Amino acid sequence: MLLLAFPLSRHFVLKRKIFSSCCRQISAMSTLLINQPQYAWLKELGLKEENDGVYNGAWGGKGEVVTSYCPASNLPIARVRQATLEEYNETVTKAKEAWKIWADIPAPKRGEIVRQIGDALRKKIKLLGHLESLEMGKILVEGVGEVQEYIDICDYAVGLSRIIGGPILPSERPGHALIEQWNPVGLVGIITAFNFPVAVYGWNNALALICGDVCLWKGAPTTSLTSVAVTKIVAQVLEDNNLPGAICSLTCGGADIGNAIAKDERVDLVSFTGSTNVGKQVALKVQERFGRKLLELGGNNAIVVFEDADLNLVTPSVLFAAVGTAGQRCTTARRLFLQESIHDDIVEKLSKAYAQVRIGDPCEPDTLCGPLHTKQAVEMFLSAVEQAKCEGGRVVCGGKVIDRPGNFVEPTIMTGLAHDSPIVHKETFAPILYIIKFKTEEEAFAWNNEVKQGLSSSIFTKDLGRIFRWLGPKGSDCGVVNVNIPTSGAEIGGAFGGEKHTGGGRESGSDSWKHYMRRSTCTINYSKDLPLAQGIKFQ
């Protein structure tokens, strides 16, 4: 008994504390979804309880440990160790070194690597789609569809790798050739948002790679597991081809990493997708160093329905555009302008359609509307509904939080608001649709354009003249202008992006590859004379 008073007892107490601490850690780990049998498939993506959030040819992560939560239950899925600023700087250095190798590889050979990335994604498309549903909250078909977008842009980029180039122009000087030469910018910093944690990176990554750039990705902290899983797939392709892994680097992190990317002169192009407010801050920091930026920001998108429209198309189109991804797309329809004569009929049809929307677990195949991404998003939803009521809005359906685990809200329709009400001009990332009557075409076009954002827009009409006026200089001022289809659902073949407070950037197809390259106008004199341009004589 006397031994208990000696130092040995302190050793015993210390061991007991360590044992208790280990028990608490084991208990915490056991509550993670990744350790439950029904989520064992997460490990097929290379995920575990605690994951490295830095990749630059080697995996690491010494920063803050963040937990990723399932928005359908608010239960923890797994954890990610974020990057420190020291690791960020090390990763940029490695990426710049990797660029020296990557830029020397012929573009068609780079295209072959991108083809292999697309094939590797195909093999894991269902797993990645399930991960998106689990971590982001979008329904399964949308999650799988988003991974398909990355695959599609890989296919697009492979073809582009064999035709990309500048023109040979006629020179006004004899014995001279005038050429536009396109070269990679170097290092592309890609900052993506939670709502499209795979596709937006893919749009940038595939095109940047075939252009000869290397990439540094910072995904949203709340979808870090998706960032890690995608990077593991891409990294394996690079490693299998004996290429530096830093060609496609990853630094998971928060505002500190995003701020570092924006300010870093070593980052030759910053591609930012997110809110207009944060995008404005990024733009200013990049501009201060005269850097290049590609901005994909907010959207306050409108659908305009005229009385001559095919009304059978309207209800499903509006439903998909307003309710899809629980209203968390930048292309979500937030304003619906209905010509007076059809207003009541369309509102009634939409109300019936909304009542049939299946809300629930996004991983279930019959769910049409999943949860909002975070608890904060639920609060924003409630705040917007209350503000709309204060401004004269009437809730036709929805407007409430659903009493169940997770971040579920009722898709909402509101009428009675003026076209220029403050809440109507505010982008709320939630499934709230404001329906407004209009009389004339001029009125509808003007109301579509009066908001600060300019991303996507749609009209429904059979009038050919109206269609071309809508597409013309006095029509929609948005980057995406549709006719008889909803505001969401862009294809990779066309450049995606918007005007005004949407940022002006263009990603994906068309000639958006030019963002990732720098252009030089080259003049070659292959004659023995020195004629000057514009016929100038200098004796």
Side-chain angles (χ1 to χ4, degrees):
M1 295 293 292
L2 291 175
L3 289 175
L4 294 177
F6 286 93
L8 184 60
S9 66
R10 291 198 298 271
H11 179 67
F12 174 77
V13 171
L14 179 61
K15 287 180 68 177
R16 186 171 62 184
K17 287 182 177 178
I18 293 172
F19 178 76
S20 298
S21 175
C22 289
C23 286
R24 285 195 299 271
Q25 290 179 17
I26 292 170
S27 176
M29 287 296 187
S30 67
T31 63
L32 296 174
L33 295 183
I34 196 170
N35 290 320
Q36 297 182 14
Q38 64 266 43
Y39 299 105
W41 54 268
L42 288 167
K43 296 175 183 178
E44 296 180 46
L45 290 167
L47 299 175
K48 50 190 177 181
E49 293 94 341
E50 194 163 293
N51 302 273
D52 293 332
V54 177
Y55 180 74
N56 51 31
W59 287 93
K62 300 175 183 176
E64 180 185 358
V65 177
V66 297
T67 301
S68 183
Y69 290 89
C70 170
S73 63
N74 285 322
L75 294 175
I77 305 169
R79 299 188 178 93
V80 174
R81 290 190 299 273
Q82 295 185 327
T84 63
L85 288 174
E86 182 181 359
E87 288 176 306
Y88 163 79
N89 283 309
E90 177 188 353
T91 300
V92 171
T93 300
K94 288 186 175 181
K96 298 294 277 190
E97 287 299 313
W99 177 79
K100 296 175 184 177
I101 297 171
W102 186 243
D104 280 341
I105 296 174
K109 299 289 187 183
R110 297 194 295 256
E112 166 58 18
I113 301 302
V114 173
R115 184 194 67 78
Q116 291 180 34
I117 291 172
D119 283 349
L121 290 165
R122 279 184 176 92
K123 295 175 182 177
K124 298 290 181 80
I125 185 170
K126 290 185 178 179
L127 289 172
L128 284 173
H130 270 90
L131 175 57
E132 275 219 44
S133 292
L134 184 67
E135 187 178 37
M136 184 271 151
K138 63 176 55 177
I139 62 173
L140 186 57
V141 67
E142 289 185 292
V144 172
E146 186 182 334
V147 182
Q148 185 65 51
E149 285 192 47
Y150 194 170
I151 294 168
D152 290 344
I153 197 66
C154 284
D155 289 347
Y156 181 95
V158 172
L160 186 62
S161 70
R162 291 187 175 272
I163 62 172
I164 197 169
I168 298 176
L169 303 166
S171 173
E172 64 185 49
R173 290 169 281 185
H176 284 59
L178 194 60
I179 300 172
E180 279 193 357
Q181 175 72 25
W182 291 85
N183 288 304
V185 296
L187 173 58
V188 180
I190 304 169
I191 304 173
T192 60
F194 75 87
N195 61 330
F196 278 84
V198 174
V200 172
Y201 174 66
W203 294 348
N204 286 271
N205 174 250
L207 293 189
L209 287 180
I210 62 101
C211 288
D213 300 313
V214 295
C215 300
L216 172 61
W217 184 17
K218 190 202 90 68
T222 54
T223 53
S224 294
L225 294 175
T226 301
S227 299
V228 171
V230 169
T231 299
K232 283 182 179 290
I233 293 170
V234 175
Q236 189 62 55
V237 172
L238 296 173
E239 292 168 15
D240 289 347
N241 286 273
N242 298 313
L243 289 166
I247 289 170
C248 294
S249 299
L250 172 71
T251 50
C252 291
D256 57 336
I257 300 299
N259 188 54
I261 292 172
K263 289 185 173 182
D264 197 337
E265 292 190 353
R266 298 171 296 174
V267 180
D268 301 285
L269 168 66
V270 177
S271 174
F272 174 85
T273 302
S275 70
T276 298
N277 288 338
V278 178
K280 189 180 296 185
Q281 298 172 38
V282 170
L284 290 172
K285 289 168 185 173
V286 175
Q287 182 58 42
E288 282 177 354
R289 60 179 177 88
F290 290 99
R292 283 178 159 218
K293 59 187 181 297
L294 194 168
L295 302 175
E296 296 287 357
L297 310 177
N300 193 348
N301 315 293
I303 293 177
V304 182
V305 183
F306 289 89
E307 58 189 3
D308 70 329
D310 182 346
L311 300 186
N312 291 325
L313 296 176
V314 173
T315 299
S317 295
V318 173
L319 187 69
F320 171 66
V323 177
T325 324
Q328 296 169 115
R329 287 175 178 247
C330 53
T331 53
T332 291
R334 310 198 183 281
R335 300 176 295 150
L336 176 61
F337 297 119
L338 300 175
Q339 204 154 23
E340 285 182 331
S341 61
I342 59 172
H343 176 274
D344 294 349
D345 184 36
I346 297 296
V347 170
E348 183 181 355
K349 288 180 178 178
L350 277 174
S351 298
K352 291 178 180 178
Y354 267 55
Q356 297 174 35
V357 171
R358 294 183 298 276
I359 304 168
D361 184 346
C363 293
E364 294 295 329
D366 61 344
T367 299
L368 291 180
C369 182
L372 293 179
H373 187 53
T374 62
K375 294 178 181 178
Q376 291 77 15
V378 174
E379 294 302 317
M380 285 191 292
F381 166 82
L382 289 172
S383 176
V385 171
E386 288 307 309
Q387 183 180 341
K389 288 178 180 177
C390 291
E391 293 174 10
R394 182 177 71 86
V395 176
V396 174
C397 64
K400 299 175 183 176
V401 174
I402 298 174
D403 185 15
R404 59 173 291 173
N407 309 317
F408 292 92
V409 300
E410 297 175 342
T412 302
I413 294 175
M414 302 199 75
T415 60
L417 289 158
H419 66 91
D420 56 355
S421 296
I423 191 62
V424 173
H425 279 219
K426 179 181 178 181
E427 180 193 25
T428 302
F429 233 52
I432 304 175
L433 180 67
Y434 305 113
I435 300 182
I436 298 161
K437 294 180 183 180
F438 73 90
K439 295 180 180 179
T440 65
E441 175 185 306
E442 293 75 18
E443 195 174 55
F445 286 11
W447 292 357
N448 175 76
N449 296 347
E450 70 182 357
V451 296
K452 291 183 177 180
Q453 304 88 348
L455 179 52
S456 187
S457 55
S458 299
I459 63 166
F460 283 78
T461 184
K462 296 175 184 175
D463 187 321
L464 191 59
R466 179 179 292 133
I467 289 171
F468 280 96
R469 288 191 292 274
W470 173 246
L471 303 178
K474 295 181 181 179
S476 172
D477 64 358
C478 296
V480 178
V481 183
N482 295 331
V483 178
N484 296 330
I485 63 169
T487 52
S488 51
E491 297 183 34
I492 60 98
F496 178 84
E499 302 297 328
K500 302 187 295 189
H501 284 213
T502 301
R506 292 296 185 276
E507 292 172 336
S508 200
S510 186
D511 65 348
S512 59
W513 58 268
K514 293 180 179 179
H515 277 296
Y516 307 93
M517 305 195 84
R518 57 180 179 82
R519 174 169 53 183
S520 301
T521 301
C522 310
T523 307
I524 301 169
N525 180 5
Y526 56 88
S527 74
K528 295 182 180 180
D529 299 317
L530 191 64
L532 301 179
Q534 290 85 45
I536 293 173
K537 303 291 184 182
F538 186 74
Q539 303 294 341

